[in-house]
Amino acid sequence: MNGVMKAVRMEPVPPGEGFFGPDEGLLETTAALDGEDGCIAGARHLTGDFLARVQREHGVPVSARTMDLSQLVVSELVTNALRHAPGPVLLHLRVIGAAVEIAVWDSDPGMPAPRGADPTRVGQHGLEIVMAVAQRFRVVREPVGKRIVARLDLLDGL
């Protein structure tokens, strides 16, 4: 899984495109995930490597908590996408200002919904976990499938 990180200047995102708004001077990487063994672990490693490179090469501070939570969010979103959607999954990571945005696209048009609290339920808490740790969260219907986007602050307490 070879993600390519590049600094790009983005034009404002039109309303309804699914991102949280216009941002400039961002760092990003994208990976296509095929669901093979090790794919989810690879996505977590890609996320950790991406944020480490953002710190090292671009001087953008990232807290250890955000590093851990970003990998958790990626793991949960990619797991859900691979479990519930046929075909490949796209993982897109980008740093925007003081946040990292994690977007996972899959081909299933069904919109996920968090389940009610149930202390007896084993598993199936991924969406609730993502929503609890993300500062912003959206699910966007796409022409094919959907995109789930979570944004986390790079530093604690922002």
Side-chain angles (χ1 to χ4, degrees):
M1 177 176 359
N2 292 330
V4 176
M5 183 168 62
K6 58 184 174 180
V8 297
R9 187 165 179 84
M10 299 292 290
E11 294 301 316
V13 177
E17 285 292 315
F19 292 98
F20 292 112
D23 295 289
E24 298 179 5
L26 54 92
L27 303 167
E28 63 183 358
T29 190
T30 300
L33 309 172
D34 58 11
E36 296 294 320
D37 286 344
C39 173
I40 297 165
R44 281 193 306 269
H45 291 297
L46 173 71
T47 303
D49 291 347
F50 170 73
L51 291 173
R53 284 193 329 246
V54 163
Q55 286 186 66
R56 185 178 59 252
E57 295 174 11
H58 300 280
V60 176
V62 180
S63 73
R65 180 177 187 273
T66 298
M67 184 76 75
D68 291 342
L69 289 178
S70 296
Q71 292 175 74
L72 173 64
V73 166
V74 164
S75 183
E76 294 296 340
L77 293 179
V78 169
T79 298
N80 286 349
L82 291 171
R83 181 172 291 148
H84 299 292
V89 170
L90 292 177
L91 169 63
H92 183 81
L93 306 168
R94 68 182 190 167
V95 171
I96 305 168
V100 59
E101 187 174 84
I102 300 163
V104 175
W105 171 88
D106 67 54
S107 62
D108 183 6
M111 302 299 271
R115 299 179 69 173
D118 180 356
T120 63
R121 185 174 74 227
V122 177
Q124 301 179 352
H125 297 283
L127 194 56
E128 291 92 353
I129 291 168
V130 171
M131 293 172 71
V133 302
Q135 280 71 49
R136 301 193 67 188
F137 176 84
R138 280 184 91 170
V139 179
V140 181
R141 200 174 297 277
E142 296 287 352
V144 175
K146 67 184 166 297
R147 180 170 23 120
I148 299 177
V149 185
R151 189 178 278 190
L152 297 126
D153 292 336
L154 291 171
L155 296 175
D156 303 338
L158 292 180

